Amino acid sequence: MEEIVKVVNVTKNFYTKEGEMEDLKNISFTVHEGEILSLLGPSGSGKSTILNILTNLLEPTSGEVSIKGTIGYMFQKDHLLEWRSIMDNITLGLEIMHKKNDKKSMERIERLLKTYGLWEFRNMYPKELSGGMRQRVALIRTLSVDPSILLLDEPFSALDYQTRLMVTEDIFKILKAENITALMVTHDISEAISMSDRV
Ligand code: ADP
Ligand code: MG
């Protein structure tokens, strides 16, 4: 299987008023095509930092990272825009990339909405949807631009326990069915186990 993400011996130090602080030390891992990998660690252990390095928001102090293709990013909050309909939220990424008239992308969106039970809701607004459905909308928006890797930063921690169990299973099924390669970071052991091929 092809390696989509490769991280080799990454170290990241931050320099603060109090002096130098080691955030990541000699981190190495790979994510293969079609695999869902979770990195598990307590709050403050540098999980978001590693994702920020992968997206080039931060430079590692030493070490190498490489990513094949484009990145999709899913955050803790769904970041849906309340004044736009579900459909207009989903096509936002395409709009920004000036690809809204791209027939293939629009067909992909239509298929995803129909497959995952959101087609009837496309003209509604985010506040009319449950927390779980909103997360599914956020996922489809991210997948609409067909990224080669999906990065998830504690995507379910804002949801209450019951919803989280349901949504985690729901999202995992979608990722597997669509053969998505993903890297998730979380502090929640059960989330990591139920959402991953490898932790
Ligand atoms: P996690 O996502 O695992 O909770 P983070 O990657 O956000 O952890 O942060 C890890 C540590 O690095 C924390 O102690 C945080 O305070 C520190 N840190 C993160 N970003 C910066 C920064 N830009 N400057 C200084 N310290 C930072
Ligand atoms: Mg974090």
mmCIF file of all heavy atoms in Angstrom, residues 44 47-49 76 153-154 185, ligand 2:
data_model
loop_
_atom_site.group_PDB
_atom_site.id
_atom_site.type_symbol
_atom_site.label_atom_id
_atom_site.label_comp_id
_atom_site.label_asym_id
_atom_site.label_seq_id
_atom_site.Cartn_x
_atom_site.Cartn_y
_atom_site.Cartn_z
ATOM 1 N N GLY A 44 -2.513 18.596 25.772
ATOM 2 C CA GLY A 44 -1.220 19.269 25.923
ATOM 3 C C GLY A 44 -0.034 18.425 25.485
ATOM 4 O O GLY A 44 1.113 18.829 25.620
ATOM 5 N N LYS A 47 -0.665 16.969 20.189
ATOM 6 C CA LYS A 47 -1.439 16.363 19.099
ATOM 7 C C LYS A 47 -1.777 17.389 18.016
ATOM 8 O O LYS A 47 -1.598 17.144 16.828
ATOM 9 C CB LYS A 47 -2.737 15.736 19.645
ATOM 10 C CG LYS A 47 -2.508 14.662 20.692
ATOM 11 C CD LYS A 47 -3.803 14.013 21.134
ATOM 12 C CE LYS A 47 -4.798 14.977 21.773
ATOM 13 N NZ LYS A 47 -4.342 15.524 23.067
ATOM 14 N N SER A 48 -2.306 18.537 18.431
ATOM 15 C CA SER A 48 -2.642 19.565 17.441
ATOM 16 C C SER A 48 -1.378 20.064 16.751
ATOM 17 O O SER A 48 -1.401 20.403 15.561
ATOM 18 C CB SER A 48 -3.381 20.729 18.088
ATOM 19 O OG SER A 48 -4.624 20.282 18.583
ATOM 20 N N THR A 49 -0.286 20.106 17.507
ATOM 21 C CA THR A 49 0.979 20.570 16.928
ATOM 22 C C THR A 49 1.395 19.684 15.752
ATOM 23 O O THR A 49 1.803 20.192 14.708
ATOM 24 C CB THR A 49 2.086 20.573 18.011
ATOM 25 O OG1 THR A 49 1.650 21.396 19.088
ATOM 26 C CG2 THR A 49 3.389 21.100 17.465
ATOM 27 N N GLN A 76 -12.793 20.174 15.874
ATOM 28 C CA GLN A 76 -13.644 19.857 17.008
ATOM 29 C C GLN A 76 -15.067 20.375 16.807
ATOM 30 O O GLN A 76 -16.037 19.694 17.048
ATOM 31 C CB GLN A 76 -13.032 20.533 18.225
ATOM 32 C CG GLN A 76 -13.132 19.741 19.473
ATOM 33 C CD GLN A 76 -12.278 20.385 20.551
ATOM 34 O OE1 GLN A 76 -12.607 21.452 21.043
ATOM 35 N NE2 GLN A 76 -11.200 19.730 20.891
ATOM 36 N N ASP A 153 -9.029 16.487 14.163
ATOM 37 C CA ASP A 153 -8.515 16.926 15.460
ATOM 38 C C ASP A 153 -9.636 16.852 16.496
ATOM 39 O O ASP A 153 -10.476 17.739 16.573
ATOM 40 C CB ASP A 153 -7.970 18.358 15.360
ATOM 41 C CG ASP A 153 -7.142 18.738 16.591
ATOM 42 O OD1 ASP A 153 -7.212 18.012 17.609
ATOM 43 O OD2 ASP A 153 -6.433 19.757 16.527
ATOM 44 N N GLU A 154 -9.665 15.780 17.278
ATOM 45 C CA GLU A 154 -10.698 15.542 18.300
ATOM 46 C C GLU A 154 -12.083 15.923 17.789
ATOM 47 O O GLU A 154 -12.769 16.747 18.399
ATOM 48 C CB GLU A 154 -10.367 16.322 19.572
ATOM 49 C CG GLU A 154 -8.896 16.225 19.935
ATOM 50 C CD GLU A 154 -8.638 16.156 21.415
ATOM 51 O OE1 GLU A 154 -9.426 15.521 22.128
ATOM 52 O OE2 GLU A 154 -7.625 16.731 21.855
ATOM 53 N N VAL A 185 -6.384 12.621 15.740
ATOM 54 C CA VAL A 185 -5.767 12.760 17.055
ATOM 55 C C VAL A 185 -6.871 12.950 18.082
ATOM 56 O O VAL A 185 -7.876 13.606 17.824
ATOM 57 C CB VAL A 185 -4.751 13.923 17.127
ATOM 58 C CG1 VAL A 185 -3.649 13.747 16.097
ATOM 59 C CG2 VAL A 185 -5.420 15.277 16.976
HETATM 60 MG MG MG B 2 -5.371 19.900 20.514
#
